Amino acid sequence: AKDYELRQYEAAKWISTVIRGEPQKEALRQGFWKLFHYIQGKNEKEMKIDMTVPVTCLVKSGCADFKISFFVPHEHQDSPPQPTDSDVFIEERKAAAIFVRSFGGFASPEKYAEEAEVLSRILRNKGQPFHEDFFYTAGYDSPFKLFNRHNEVWYFKK
């Protein structure tokens, strides 16, 4: 479908942190820096790890906690260095079928929510079963990239 795609993701490790009680934009900022420090060497091996995309944010309906995550690069999937910050953890995500809607521009929490609403409406209209109580935002670009930006919202297929 041109409005969305269905992707199959393999099981993979992500480095994550949960920011509680902050607005989404501030949670993303705080979470990004915690994870950035991890890849810059704030881990047991004091190892620098390449930055990967996307940066994801788990958004749950009616919840003020946001889980921010970086994908662990393929060469570190088997044994990523353990975080030394107690707020940062390695998360094993199971293989999953994910409905994805892509859009451009600078994505605000409001824009992500609007795109997630559009995607959920399309999926309901097509009778596609999905987990409606949460979605992920996925950002692919540095804040310094001005043009041809790529953002996504993800719903997990039931």
Side-chain angles (χ1 to χ4, degrees), residues 27-94:
L28 255 171
R29 190 189 70 73
Q30 286 182 23
F32 177 90
W33 286 109
K34 281 183 178 291
L35 300 175
F36 187 76
H37 290 133
Y38 167 84
I39 66 171
Q40 287 296 299
K42 193 173 179 186
N43 56 62
E44 277 185 351
K45 296 180 183 168
E46 296 183 353
M47 177 190 288
K48 280 195 174 206
I49 298 170
D50 289 338
M51 175 80 202
T52 59
V53 291
V55 174
T56 65
C57 177
L58 173 61
V59 180
K60 295 182 195 166
S61 315
C63 181
D65 296 353
F66 298 99
K67 183 172 63 180
I68 319 302
S69 307
F70 287 2
F71 178 76
V72 172
H74 295 289
E75 63 269 23
H76 299 292
Q77 278 289 318
D78 289 340
S79 61
Q82 289 301 310
T84 52
D85 179 339
S86 60
D87 291 340
V88 175
F89 58 95
I90 293 164
E91 172 190 9
E92 177 92 39
R93 291 193 193 166
K94 295 183 177 99

Side-chain angles (χ1 to χ4, degrees), residues 6 58 108 152:
L6 177 58
L58 173 61
S108 62
E152 296 174 347

